[in-house]
Amino acid sequence: DAKTTQPPSMDCAEGRAANLPCNHSTISGNEYVYWYRQIHSQGPQYIIHGLKNNETNEMASLIITEDRKSSTLILPHATLRDTAVYYCIVRVAVGNQFYFGTGTSLTVIP
Amino acid sequence: KAGVTQTPRYLIKTRGQQVTLSCSPISGHRSVSWYQQTPGQGLQFLFEYFSETQRNKGNFPGRFSGRQFSNSRSEMNVSTLELGDSALYLCASSPGLAYNEQFFGPGTRLTVL
């Protein structure tokens, strides 16, 4: 079952950084934090994941607090195409099941 | 490399019927997972198959079943359809177990009347 809490919706101005928070206060030491997004009418798309260090790739940055109880996904320069539902997920690295919560609906405004 | 394909894309059934959905994973991928997405419950994990064996199962009734073939293609079956089974059914594949990224297909939209 989902172990994360996210705000239901957020807006962001185009070109600005979008910061999406996630609380995972019951995360275990062997659980990773994953972020996926789902653009309307498409299947979810992997964005990034991390264990305890901050991570960055071509899509986004992931900042995990030192106590690992929360994290923030950062889209550095949001575009209209980033409008989607963003899911924060925690899971152990065994098995492929992901337990998605309700996610945050991000709307990028022109 | 072709992505995950799901057939059919849209399906309309009536209560009490059964339905079979198909998923072809990305070539070389051996793990296939199924998810149900509804407006009320969101994305929920159904089950995962690897090497023709069910590895994990979500909290769904026995009416939901699946299988995987030797070529990694997978099918899921829902028997005795109920109105609440109306949903988008998503299939995801990955090369093996414990991979960080799952690749999702476009889904099958099932409507139960």
Side-chain angles (χ1 to χ4, degrees):
Chain A
D1 295 294
K3 302 179 181 179
T4 63
T5 304
Q6 299 176 253
S9 63
M10 293 181 62
D11 293 337
C12 177
E14 187 178 18
R16 303 296 295 269
N19 296 280
L20 292 90
C22 178
N23 285 320
H24 31 79
S25 58
T26 61
I27 192 169
S28 301
N30 61 346
E31 288 183 315
Y32 288 72
V33 179
Y34 288 78
W35 284 84
Y36 275 72
R37 73 179 183 184
Q38 187 174 24
I39 297 171
H40 184 63
S41 299
Q42 297 181 23
Q45 176 192 24
Y46 166 83
I47 301 173
I48 199 168
H49 78 282
L51 183 61
K52 55 183 177 181
N53 297 320
N54 297 338
E55 303 288 344
T56 296
N57 62 19
E58 65 279 5
M59 289 182 67
S61 294
L62 173 61
I63 308 298
I64 303 175
T65 58
E66 192 169 343
D67 62 8
R68 304 210 320 123
K69 293 186 176 182
S70 65
S71 61
T72 301
L73 178 74
I74 301 172
L75 307 177
H77 306 286
T79 71
L80 299 180
R81 288 177 294 181
D82 291 323
T83 292
V85 177
Y86 288 77
Y87 296 96
C88 170
I89 307 155
V90 296
R91 72 155 182 145
V92 295
V94 174
N96 280 341
Q97 71 274 26
F98 283 87
Y99 291 98
F100 291 79
T102 52
T104 294
S105 178
L106 175 70
T107 301
V108 179
I109 303 169
Chain B
K1 197 181 262 192
V4 177
T5 58
Q6 293 187 244
T7 56
R9 292 293 311 278
Y10 301 90
L11 203 51
I12 299 175
K13 291 284 187 179
T14 57
R15 280 180 298 175
Q17 288 187 309
Q18 76 165 21
V19 67
T20 299
L21 311 181
S22 180
C23 171
S24 292
I26 292 172
S27 178
H29 285 195
R30 297 170 61 196
S31 171
V32 173
S33 299
W34 288 90
Y35 294 82
Q36 180 197 65
Q37 186 170 30
T38 60
Q41 299 296 319
L43 261 166
Q44 296 188 88
F45 171 76
L46 277 159
F47 28 63
E48 176 196 8
Y49 287 87
F50 179 79
S51 294
E52 303 177 64
T53 302
Q54 188 180 90
R55 293 294 179 135
N56 293 288
K57 189 176 192 305
N59 188 25
F60 278 82
R63 300 185 297 108
F64 292 81
S65 63
R67 59 178 176 171
Q68 186 180 34
F69 302 95
S70 58
N71 62 358
S72 294
R73 190 177 69 85
S74 178
E75 290 181 345
M76 67 162 284
N77 184 277
V78 187
S79 62
T80 319
L81 284 167
E82 301 176 358
L83 296 179
D85 297 333
S86 294
L88 179 67
Y89 290 88
L90 290 157
C91 167
S93 78
S94 63
L97 293 174
Y99 268 74
N100 295 315
E101 183 173 0
Q102 286 193 311
F103 298 82
F104 282 81
T108 294
R109 174 74 62 183
L110 172 65
T111 301
V112 182
L113 303 176

